[in-house]
Amino acid sequence: MEHQKAAAEMNRVCNGNIVASHNCHRGFSEEAMIQSKKAAVQNKHEKSRKESEDESKLPALEAAYSTILKGLGENTDRQGLLLTPRRAAKAMQFLTKGYHETVYEILNDAIFDEDHDEMVIVKDIDMFSLCEHHLVPFIGKVHIGYLPNKRVVGLSKLARIVEIFSRRLQVQERLTKQIALAITEALNPAGVAVVIEAVHMCMVMRGVQKMNSQTITSTMLGVFREDTKTREEFLSLVRS
Amino acid sequence: MESWKEERTRSIEDNEMNLPGIAAAYTSILRGLGEDPLRQGLLKTPRRAATAMQFFTKGYQEKISDVLNNAIFDEDHDEMVIVKDIDMFSMCEHHLVPFIGKVHIGYLPNKRVVGLSKLARIVEIYSRRLQVQERLTKQIAVAITESLQPSGVGVVIEASHMCMVMRGVQKMNSKTVTSTMLGVFREDPKTREEFLKLIKD
């Protein structure tokens, strides 16, 4: 059950106890291990959210949204706004549903032994996340590539991993890293590369108001970091 | 249906007064979502989110008469004037999630023309509110009608609703198109056709 151990590590918690780090980063630098611990720090601070809790939290969220509407000078009794606190609360819970899910659950054992050692790329995965600084959406595309090391993963699982981490209050840099680390820890591949291009509504709709600016972040691990040619191949396949 | 002479419902002082309350509401939202409001990235988020939300609804602070700034000129021009591809950002009043798109405005002057940027400013006033796309389209058209008394006004909005893209049906590429045609744009099909053709890319 090696991949189960690795997966438990991803969340850093197993039955409520912090799991000690295993040597499951063979072929990766110390750097990646340290980064893995740092990314896990955020997981520790988040209280995990069970789906059943959502219902019970709804009234408090609704009350908060009502306060916001009144504070903005709107009339909460008008027809269009009557049910808005509830709708907005549910929408917000949906947009942060990544907190419910763990990578181990969604991987669903879709990891297969395959003697394939060429690059596998899933690109143009639509991503929608919420900026944790302004609570305003940022949307974009995720491109993922990995070099399998005897084990491949079901392709949709890469998109599901993106979903888990993007449906949270995020910072684009951290999102990129979390996706890369999750794939690393689940699969132990020879290398992983993740590139995200996104448009931040907080920059488009307010603040500097630059309509066409895009933010690009990337995380390269394993051979993608060490070998320039591999990285180049990935980047040119993603650009085309 | 507000006339262009509507009263402001909010002032800058109101904003300052209401900010702490809105920020506190956001703190409780963060807790309700299972996040830790004390972690570094979220420490100032309630305040930032509250200020952002006030910015997204700043249309409530403004009046058309202020924005027009007397930029109405007598001009003997009776051909169509179009300002198209005006970027528009608004908030869906049902889910408090943005919808973004482009506004195309055309009008047929009747001896009076308006400063072109004022059309974009009218869009800003009405879009920076909690809105419904249909109402937004109509408000823009009516405001131009009442301030200029032109022979006709046409407003077309194409927008993408994040509430449909990010949640719910999750249709990434769907766009919503609404239009309001007043005066000759409504009565004369040829005028309307000319407008619609000119705003197509």
Side-chain angles (χ1 to χ4, degrees):
Chain A
M1 295 289 155
E2 200 191 273
H3 77 264
Q4 262 177 320
K5 260 198 269 176
E9 272 231 351
M10 273 181 268
N11 299 309
R12 289 297 160 194
V13 181
C14 187
N15 295 330
N17 305 316
I18 307 291
V19 170
S21 171
H22 294 253
N23 183 21
C24 68
H25 297 284
R26 241 166 281 119
F28 286 75
S29 59
E30 260 309 302
E31 173 74 7
M33 284 183 66
I34 296 171
Q35 300 297 354
S36 165
K37 290 194 180 88
K38 278 202 196 134
V41 166
Q42 190 214 0
N43 288 336
K44 219 169 37 169
H45 285 194
E46 298 160 13
K47 296 192 204 82
S48 86
R49 209 170 91 194
K50 306 269 179 302
E51 262 180 78
S52 47
E53 279 179 20
D54 274 359
E55 269 299 314
S56 63
K57 294 276 169 32
L58 213 46
L61 290 172
E62 281 183 49
Y65 273 112
S66 243
T67 314
I68 293 173
L69 289 177
K70 289 200 187 81
L72 294 173
E74 262 285 6
N75 168 21
T76 44
D77 291 323
R78 70 175 172 84
Q79 189 204 37
L81 293 187
L82 265 182
L83 292 175
T84 292
R86 192 173 186 83
R87 282 186 292 243
K90 283 194 153 157
M92 197 50 127
Q93 283 184 332
F94 181 87
L95 296 177
T96 53
K97 68 178 169 72
Y99 292 127
H100 288 152
E101 301 155 348
T102 62
V103 178
Y104 172 62
E105 286 161 13
I106 53 106
L107 278 182
N108 206 16
D109 285 342
I111 297 184
F112 309 103
D113 297 311
E114 198 74 34
D115 194 14
H116 185 81
D117 61 356
E118 296 283 345
M119 205 180 291
V120 178
I121 297 178
V122 180
K123 65 178 197 167
D124 292 330
I125 303 171
D126 292 311
M127 175 278 296
F128 312 102
S129 191
L130 277 178
C131 146
E132 73 178 16
H133 298 142
H134 300 94
L135 300 186
V136 168
F138 67 96
I139 58 189
K141 291 192 191 291
V142 183
H143 311 288
I144 300 177
Y146 73 102
L147 251 174
N149 182 16
K150 304 291 184 235
R151 308 204 314 185
V152 298
V153 70
L155 299 168
S156 78
K157 303 302 177 269
L158 294 172
R160 287 184 191 273
I161 290 177
V162 169
E163 273 285 293
I164 285 190
F165 289 112
S166 60
R167 299 287 186 184
R168 299 180 175 195
L169 302 184
Q170 274 289 7
V171 159
Q172 192 177 328
E173 297 86 336
R174 185 196 311 138
L175 172 60
T176 322
K177 188 158 253 164
Q178 282 179 321
I179 295 172
L181 287 175
I183 300 171
T184 303
E185 295 184 21
L187 276 186
N188 276 334
V192 176
V194 178
V195 172
I196 301 189
E197 316 169 316
V199 174
H200 289 244
M201 290 294 119
C202 57
M203 272 179 73
V204 165
M205 286 177 73
R206 60 166 288 290
V208 281
Q209 298 194 62
K210 294 296 181 190
M211 254 242 81
N212 299 313
S213 75
Q214 282 197 328
T215 305
I216 303 182
T217 51
S218 63
T219 299
M220 305 285 171
L221 298 176
V223 293
F224 284 90
R225 172 170 285 201
E226 277 134 37
D227 180 14
T228 353
K229 290 227 163 284
T230 313
R231 200 186 322 153
E232 256 179 57
E233 181 187 340
F234 169 68
L235 292 173
S236 66
L237 283 170
V238 146
R239 284 276 135 204
S240 59
Chain B
M1 183 49 52
E2 298 130 309
S3 94
W4 71 297
K5 294 187 189 67
E6 84 271 17
E7 289 301 311
R8 278 188 214 97
T9 57
R10 211 168 87 183
S11 68
I12 304 208
E13 292 76 32
D14 286 336
N15 281 347
E16 274 177 38
M17 217 171 54
N18 291 324
L19 194 59
I22 304 178
Y26 272 113
T27 308
S28 78
I29 289 174
L30 290 178
R31 276 205 200 88
L33 295 175
E35 262 284 9
D36 170 16
L38 296 176
R39 72 171 169 87
Q40 189 205 39
L42 293 187
L43 261 181
K44 299 220 198 104
T45 291
R47 196 175 180 82
R48 282 185 293 240
T51 318
M53 200 48 129
Q54 285 184 331
F55 182 88
F56 295 145
T57 53
K58 69 178 169 67
Y60 292 129
Q61 293 164 220
E62 299 157 347
K63 276 198 312 191
I64 299 284
S65 50
D66 295 334
V67 131
L68 282 181
N69 206 17
N70 289 331
I72 296 184
F73 308 104
D74 297 311
E75 198 72 36
D76 192 16
H77 184 82
D78 62 354
E79 295 284 343
M80 202 180 291
V81 178
I82 297 177
V83 180
K84 66 179 197 168
D85 293 331
I86 302 170
D87 292 311
M88 176 279 296
F89 312 101
S90 190
M91 291 295 270
C92 148
E93 74 180 15
H94 299 142
H95 300 93
L96 299 186
V97 168
F99 67 95
I100 59 189
K102 291 193 192 289
V103 183
H104 312 288
I105 300 177
Y107 73 101
L108 251 176
N110 183 14
K111 304 290 183 235
R112 303 195 325 168
V113 299
V114 69
L116 299 170
S117 78
K118 305 301 178 267
L119 294 173
R121 287 183 192 275
I122 292 178
V123 170
E124 273 285 291
I125 285 192
Y126 287 117
S127 61
R128 299 289 186 180
R129 298 182 175 194
L130 302 184
Q131 273 289 9
V132 160
Q133 191 177 329
E134 297 86 335
R135 185 195 313 138
L136 171 59
T137 322
K138 187 163 244 160
Q139 284 178 320
I140 295 171
V142 167
I144 299 172
T145 304
E146 292 182 333
S147 54
L148 274 187
Q149 281 101 39
S151 314
V153 176
V155 177
V156 173
I157 302 188
E158 318 169 320
S160 176
H161 288 242
M162 293 293 114
C163 56
M164 271 180 74
V165 165
M166 290 179 74
R167 58 165 288 291
V169 284
Q170 299 195 62
K171 294 297 181 186
M172 251 243 82
N173 300 313
S174 76
K175 281 198 174 157
T176 305
V177 182
T178 51
S179 63
T180 298
M181 305 288 172
L182 299 176
V184 291
F185 283 79
R186 173 172 283 203
E187 279 134 38
D188 179 13
K190 290 221 163 288
T191 312
R192 199 183 324 150
E193 245 180 75
E194 181 185 339
F195 171 61
L196 293 174
K197 193 167 254 164
L198 285 169
I199 62 174
K200 251 191 168 42
D201 332 292

